[in-house]
Amino acid sequence: MRIPDIELLWWAGCPSTERALAELRAALDDVGLAGAEVRMTRVRDDHGARERGFVGSPTILVDGEDVAPAGDEDVGLSCRLYRRRDGQISPTPGREGLREALLRATRGGPQEVKP
Amino acid sequence: MTVSIGERAPEFQLPDTAGQTHSPDGAAATVVVFTCNHCPYALAWHERIVEAARDYADRGVRFLAINSNDAQRYPRDSYEAMQRRVAQEHWPMPYLHDSSQEVARAYGAQVTPDVFVLDGDRRLRYRGAPDSAYDDPSQDAAWLREALDAVLAGREPERPQTEPIGCSIKWRA
C-alpha cells in the first residue's frame, strides 16, 4: 500500500491538537498504516497562516489535500470548526472522516473498513 | 487581572445587540459567559448554556453572554455578526459586545467559553467550563447547574473551579 504524505497543521491557541493527532493515529491504524509518519507543522502567526492558507487548527492534509475542504472560513489563527455527519459541531474532524480521507488517498476511493 | 473565588467581580456596562446596556447587578445570581461566534467549543456548548438560561430564568438567574474577541482580525465576531446571530437563533440572554476587551481582561477570561457564576453580591462562586465534556450533550451543563443550585440555596458550590476549555480569546495585537 502506498503511504501518503500526512501533515497536521496546528496552532497553540487551540486545545484540540492532541485529540486530532490521536484520531489521526487511530484512523491510520484502521487503514493499515499504523507506522506512517505524521508531519506536525506549527503555525505561529498571521504571516504563517496566510502562507499556508491555514483556516484553523487542526488542519490535516493527506497528500496536500485537506481532509475536510475549507468552505468560506477565513484564513487566520483560530480553532477550526468541523461538522460531523450527525450534525454535531466538533473541534476535530473525527476518526471516521480521517479514515475515509486516508482510504481515498491510498486506494482511490472510500471503502468499507471492518472494525 | 483575574477574579478569585469569593472576590467581588468587576462591575461593567456593556451594550447588547440591540444597543441596550447591561450590568452584572440586580439578580439573585448572574452567569457571565465569555463566548464567540466561531469557536467549536463555544458552539458545541452553546445549546446547553441556552437551556440552562431558560431553565433558571424563573429562579432569578440572569445570563450575560459576552463576546470580547478582536473583530478586526476575526470579522466573524463583529458586532454586526453578533446581531445577525441573535436574530437568527432567538437567544434567551443578551449577547454583549466587549469591544475594548476591558471586561475580559478584568475577569481574567482566557477562552471561549469561560463561565463565571456570581452571587447576588457579585462575588465569584464558580469559574470554569459548563460541564466535563463539550462533545457530550447529555452532560447538560452540569457543573454550571450545580454551581447555580448551590448559590441559590445559599451554599458554596462543591466544585468552585474547573479548567475552562476552549479557543483562546482573540486579543488585539
Side-chain angles (χ1 to χ4, degrees), chain B residues 51-109:
Chain B
E51 281 307 309
R54 291 199 175 104
D55 290 347
Y56 283 85
D58 291 344
R59 299 173 66 184
V61 178
R62 184 175 39 174
F63 280 62
L64 302 173
I66 301 178
N67 189 336
S68 301
N69 277 354
D70 176 7
Q72 275 204 313
R73 288 173 65 211
Y74 297 89
R76 284 169 195 254
D77 282 318
S78 70
Y79 187 55
E80 294 72 24
M82 291 169 59
Q83 288 174 314
R84 282 196 296 275
R85 187 171 171 210
V86 169
Q88 285 165 5
E89 297 178 7
H90 308 290
W91 288 32
M93 57 190 168
Y95 194 16
L96 312 183
H97 191 212
D98 178 24
S99 59
S100 70
Q101 305 189 316
E102 283 174 12
V103 176
R105 289 193 193 281
Y107 275 69

Side-chain angles (χ1 to χ4, degrees), chain A residues 48-70:
Chain A
R50 281 194 299 274
E51 211 170 58
R52 294 299 309 263
F54 181 67
V55 294
S57 184
T59 287
I60 297 172
L61 307 176
V62 176
D63 285 337
E65 294 288 324
D66 196 325
V67 297

Side-chain angles (χ1 to χ4, degrees), chain A residues 25-103:
Chain A
R25 291 271 181 225
L28 283 166
D29 195 28
D30 289 343
V31 301
L33 292 172
E37 183 194 350
V38 175
R39 206 149 26 94
M40 300 293 290
T41 302
R42 183 176 180 178
V43 180
R44 294 175 184 276
D45 51 28
D46 288 332
H47 174 72
R50 281 194 299 274
E51 211 170 58
R52 294 299 309 263
F54 181 67
V55 294
S57 184
T59 287
I60 297 172
L61 307 176
V62 176
D63 285 337
E65 294 288 324
D66 196 325
V67 297
D72 62 348
E73 294 133 294
D74 299 319
V75 168
L77 300 176
S78 64
C79 298
R80 193 160 176 189
L81 188 153
Y82 292 91
R83 206 172 279 277
R84 301 277 177 89
R85 281 193 187 142
D86 60 2
Q88 199 173 327
I89 288 167
S90 173
T92 58
R95 180 174 177 169
E96 194 182 348
L98 289 167
R99 186 169 53 200
E100 287 185 3
L102 290 167
L103 284 171

Side-chain angles (χ1 to χ4, degrees), chain B residues 19-35:
Chain B
Q20 190 183 336
T21 301
H22 297 261
S23 73
D25 284 322
T30 300
V31 178
V32 176
V33 184
F34 291 87
T35 188

